[in-house]
Amino acid sequence: EGNAPWTPRENHTAIVFNDGNNKIWIYGGKDEQTGYLNDVWSSTDGVNWTEESVGNSHWSTRANHQAIVHSGEVYVMGGKNNNSVNNEIWKSEDGHTFTQVNASGHWAARHGFAAVSYDDKLYVIAGQTDNNSLKKDIWSSSDGSNWTNHGDQAFSARKNFAALVFDAGRSSEIWVLGGEVEAAGPGNTVSNETWHGNFEDFSIKQL
């Protein structure tokens, strides 16, 4: 209903998280005035918004990142800004005061990736690395610190796609939908491929 007080922006993230009140949360992104952002906004009704205070330790400006609720905490991961692409992992118990997770040997720095939470695990899927290489890997973690590499998947490498968990009558599966993929010739193209796979062996198949 109308315009929010946060600046017009793109490539931000939005989640629903309960910090005692069920709220919509907006994280970072990129606007035309400042460029890359690291602000945090919340609203209980989508009309009235509060810019949340952040701690002294807070994630840097970024866009094309991911924010996701996992095990009752908010995770902000990866993304890019003018300086770099990162693979940082930050988590928060209240939605706005973040602590960086000490993770090593995990997924490469990336942006335009997807993340889902299912059955006590956090999953990071595909995206684009700092050398502009598209990925098709899947990683999982129960705590954001220790990660398992499930390797490259059957779907083509991609970025800026959607992923979700859905049960189509077989069992709950990861679904990978659309995105930007490598073209047959130079450059990339936009895809309408639909892939799905289970959480046991990651045998992801195209419909």
Side-chain angles (χ1 to χ4, degrees):
E1 299 180 13
N3 295 327
W6 36 270
T7 59
R9 65 189 61 196
E10 62 182 345
N11 301 325
H12 51 292
T13 54
I15 61 167
V16 174
F17 174 68
N18 192 326
D19 68 345
N21 294 294
N22 209 34
K23 296 178 182 177
I24 303 169
W25 296 77
I26 298 288
Y27 297 103
K30 187 179 182 182
D31 69 13
E32 294 180 349
Q33 293 77 39
T34 306
Y36 291 97
L37 304 163
N38 64 345
D39 52 351
V40 177
W41 293 79
S42 71
S43 174
T44 57
D45 58 12
V47 178
N48 301 290
W49 291 85
T50 299
E51 183 171 10
E52 298 284 353
S53 61
V54 297
N56 293 328
S57 174
H58 186 65
W59 39 273
S60 60
T61 59
R62 65 193 60 200
N64 296 92
H65 52 297
Q66 279 291 335
I68 190 166
V69 178
H70 172 68
S71 296
E73 295 178 305
V74 177
Y75 284 75
V76 169
M77 304 183 291
K80 68 175 183 177
N81 57 29
N82 285 327
N83 299 317
S84 65
V85 178
N86 73 77
N87 62 349
E88 295 173 355
I89 301 166
W90 295 76
K91 69 178 181 178
S92 172
E93 295 180 353
D94 61 12
H96 61 93
T97 306
F98 283 83
T99 301
Q100 189 168 7
V101 177
N102 182 19
S104 61
H106 62 303
W107 37 275
R110 63 189 64 194
H111 64 95
F113 61 103
V116 299
S117 176
Y118 174 73
D119 196 24
D120 297 325
K121 287 189 178 179
L122 185 62
Y123 294 85
V124 163
I125 307 163
Q128 181 170 294
T129 64
D130 55 359
N131 64 358
N132 295 323
S133 173
L134 295 179
K135 304 291 286 182
K136 57 179 182 177
D137 52 350
I138 293 180
W139 294 73
S140 69
S141 174
S142 60
D143 58 8
S145 180
N146 301 291
W147 290 83
T148 298
N149 183 3
H150 299 280
D152 286 349
Q153 303 299 309
F155 58 79
S156 53
R158 65 192 59 216
K159 67 175 180 177
N160 299 335
F161 60 100
L164 49 82
V165 178
F166 177 65
D167 186 344
R170 294 174 293 271
S171 64
S172 293
E173 297 176 312
I174 290 179
W175 291 70
V176 172
L177 309 170
E180 186 175 337
V181 302
E182 294 174 347
N188 296 334
T189 188
V190 178
S191 165
N192 62 350
E193 296 172 351
T194 301
W195 295 80
H196 68 99
N198 62 46
F199 288 84
E200 285 74 39
D201 60 12
F202 290 91
S203 55
I204 291 185
K205 311 170 187 69
Q206 188 174 13
L207 291 181

